[in-house]
């Protein structure tokens, strides 16, 4: 019996040691006050997969009051997973600002740009505001910067099927990572000639990564998309902007 117990404890040591080693701590927020994406549940599952495979801690909540709590500052990065609407009250705004100004990171996925239209600070942070979209369709994506952690694995041009957002109030200070080719699909707006869909920047002391991909469930089962997302999370959490190829 004693030998069996020793053998069991010995077999658990690598697992216990691994459980104590985490790169950073992230919290995913999926609060909605408008349209609610069916892919939120798939998104949470995809993020949990990333956390498990890449050794970071992940919590998930729909309780927006986390932004007014000291608990928020236990995390290194906030992931806004398809949030929508005017979800931030003044106490939430103040907590969010403090988090960013403390040098932390923010990741926005898809409808994070369909959030907090009345809050100018947030619009500049996330980089743009959603204005419209055509039907879901396949389009050609162009990788504008493949030196960033979120785009290292991507070819110069590739096909992707998603819901393609059109934007307004775009922050020209962001660094564009991906563009969708407006000639490769029906944009619903013939005036579009320049169409960024993923970007990053430093803002008010923190780091921000945003991708407009992620409307559809299949995105969160795609290794291509998950690797793109992981690179953005890693950048926002760890503060490493560029990786040499």
């Amino acid at each position: 019996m004693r030998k069996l117990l020793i053998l069991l404890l010995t077999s658990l040591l690598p697992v216990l040691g691994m459980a104590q080693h985490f790169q950073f701590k992230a919290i995913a927020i999926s609060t909605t006050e408008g349209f609610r994406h069916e892919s939120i549940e798939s998104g949470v599952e995809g993020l949990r997969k990333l956390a498990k495979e890449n050794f970071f801690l992940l919590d998930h909540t729909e309780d927006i009051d986390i932004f007014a709590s000291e608990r928020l500052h236990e995390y290194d990065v906030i992931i806004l997973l398809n949030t929508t609407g005017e979800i931030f009250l003044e106490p939430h705004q103040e907590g969010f600002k403090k988090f960013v100004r403390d040098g932390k990171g923010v990741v926005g996925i898809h409808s994070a740009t369909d959030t907090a239209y009345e809050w100018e600070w947030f619009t500049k942070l996330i980089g743009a505001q959603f204005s419209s979209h055509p039907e879901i369709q396949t389009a050609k994506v162009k990788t504008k910067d493949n030196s960033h952690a979120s785009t290292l694995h991507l070819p110069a041009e590739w096909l992707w099927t998603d819901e393609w957002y059109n934007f307004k109030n775009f922050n020209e200070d962001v660094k564009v990572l991906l563009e969708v080719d407006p000639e490769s699909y029906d944009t619903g707006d013939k005036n579009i000639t320049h169409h960024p869909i993923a970007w990053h920047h430093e803002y008010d002391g923190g780091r921000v990564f945003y991708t407009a991909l992620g409307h559809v469930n299949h995105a969160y089962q795609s290794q291509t998309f998950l690797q793109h997302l992981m690179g953005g999370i890693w950048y926002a959490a760890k503060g490493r902007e560029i990786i040499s190829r």
Side-chain angles (χ1 to χ4, degrees):
M1 184 68 180
R2 186 165 178 263
K3 287 183 178 179
L4 181 61
L5 182 59
I6 292 171
L7 181 62
L8 179 61
L9 288 173
T10 303
S11 66
L12 284 174
L13 282 175
V15 177
L16 292 171
M18 186 180 296
Q20 295 172 358
H21 174 69
F22 296 104
Q23 298 191 71
F24 51 84
K25 191 172 184 181
I27 184 163
I29 315 285
S30 53
T31 313
T32 56
E33 288 290 344
F35 181 84
R36 184 171 181 85
H37 284 78
E38 293 181 3
S39 61
I40 285 176
E41 285 71 25
S42 296
V44 173
E45 290 179 10
L47 288 170
R48 284 176 175 157
K49 180 176 185 288
L50 284 178
K52 182 178 180 180
E53 293 178 352
N54 295 279
F55 300 98
F56 67 91
L57 284 169
L58 176 75
D59 290 332
H60 168 244
T61 187
E62 300 239 332
D63 183 2
I64 199 65
D65 285 340
I66 186 68
F67 282 91
S69 169
E70 285 300 316
R71 289 188 299 117
L72 184 68
H73 302 281
E74 298 173 5
Y75 299 97
D76 301 293
V77 59
I78 293 168
I79 303 170
L80 300 174
L81 174 61
N82 279 330
T83 54
T84 57
E86 300 299 330
I87 56 177
F88 299 110
L89 300 177
E90 186 174 350
H92 308 138
Q93 293 178 0
E94 292 306 311
F96 201 165
K97 285 180 181 178
K98 184 178 187 305
F99 181 88
V100 172
R101 289 168 180 169
D102 282 346
K104 304 294 186 75
V106 179
V107 169
I109 302 173
H110 194 57
S111 64
T113 50
D114 190 21
T115 305
Y117 287 86
E118 297 177 5
W119 188 15
E120 184 180 1
W121 182 89
F122 178 82
T123 297
K124 290 181 178 179
L125 172 131
I126 207 66
Q129 292 177 335
F130 160 76
S131 61
S132 64
H133 64 77
E135 295 298 317
I136 295 171
Q137 55 194 293
T138 302
K140 182 168 69 175
V141 180
K142 296 181 178 181
T143 304
K144 304 303 291 183
D145 178 359
N146 67 353
S147 66
H148 191 267
S150 65
T151 55
L152 279 172
H153 64 298
L154 296 173
E157 295 184 352
W158 45 288
L159 293 179
W160 183 257
T161 303
D162 216 313
E163 181 181 74
W164 303 105
Y165 272 7
N166 299 321
F167 296 106
K168 62 182 181 180
N169 297 324
F170 186 74
N171 183 348
E172 298 292 344
D173 292 332
V174 303
K175 300 174 182 178
V176 175
L177 296 166
L178 302 176
E179 289 184 355
V180 59
D181 183 352
E183 296 184 359
S184 68
Y185 74 109
D186 181 5
T187 66
D189 185 345
K190 301 301 181 183
N191 295 319
I192 294 177
T193 57
H194 173 59
H195 198 159
I197 55 160
W199 52 78
H200 71 104
H201 68 139
E202 294 184 2
Y203 179 77
D204 206 10
R207 297 166 303 281
V208 184
F209 166 81
Y210 171 78
T211 181
L213 309 181
H215 171 84
V216 291
N217 280 301
H218 74 251
Y220 302 96
Q221 285 88 52
S222 165
Q223 191 58 35
T224 298
F225 175 71
L226 289 178
Q227 196 169 342
H228 169 60
L229 198 51
M230 181 60 211
I233 294 169
W234 182 81
Y235 155 72
K238 302 284 283 187
R240 294 176 172 88
E241 177 178 338
I242 300 296
I243 302 175
S244 299
R245 291 181 65 84

